[in-house]
Amino acid sequence: QVHLVESGGGLVQAGGSLRLSCAASGFTFSRSDMGWFRQAPGKEREFVAGISWGGGTTWYGDSVKGRFTISRDNTKNTVSLQMTSLKSEDTAVYYCTATPFGGASSSAQQYNSWGQGTQVTVSS
């Protein structure tokens, strides 16, 4: 059974930083592309960042490029999201996701496993 457990969310002031982590189990992590999505109240789920199974390729949503960095550790089955220069509009529930497909997807439909989410609140 696939398990994705996010941690590291919380309250941070605008301009600050936060690091999210996701612990994965129940599937072949080292062969799965991973991603982060977020969803703010009243808004659609938004792609944040993705990373290929080997970690050699990363891709980002336009709103976070240059501020967020995704990384992974295949020895520990974890994927992380380092968030800097946070803005109030980054406030959302952040979800860790996994996909068996390649192709650097930013579509939620391509990701078939989801964590429960962790709340990030940025105060202005």
Side-chain angles (χ1 to χ4, degrees), residues 5-118:
V5 180
E6 302 95 338
S7 61
L11 175 64
V12 63
Q13 288 188 334
S17 300
L18 208 58
R19 185 177 181 88
L20 305 183
S21 294
C22 173
S25 61
F27 64 105
T28 307
F29 180 82
S30 60
R31 290 297 182 182
S32 297
D33 286 6
M34 300 294 295
W36 288 93
F37 284 73
R38 67 186 182 187
Q39 189 165 20
K43 295 188 177 181
E44 293 187 355
R45 193 162 292 191
E46 176 190 14
F47 172 76
V48 175
I51 187 166
S52 62
W53 58 269
T57 301
T58 58
W59 55 101
Y60 298 90
D62 288 341
S63 61
V64 307
K65 281 180 182 177
R67 300 189 298 122
F68 291 11
T69 303
I70 189 172
S71 61
R72 67 188 296 159
D73 186 341
N74 284 350
T75 66
K76 298 180 179 179
N77 283 13
T78 59
V79 59
S80 299
L81 185 69
Q82 179 67 47
M83 305 184 294
T84 63
S85 301
L86 283 162
K87 307 174 182 179
S88 57
E89 50 263 45
D90 294 318
T91 295
V93 177
Y94 284 70
Y95 297 92
C96 175
T97 67
T99 175
F101 307 111
S105 177
S106 60
S107 170
Q109 284 75 17
Q110 294 294 311
Y111 292 83
N112 60 358
S113 299
W114 296 78
Q116 293 298 307
T118 186

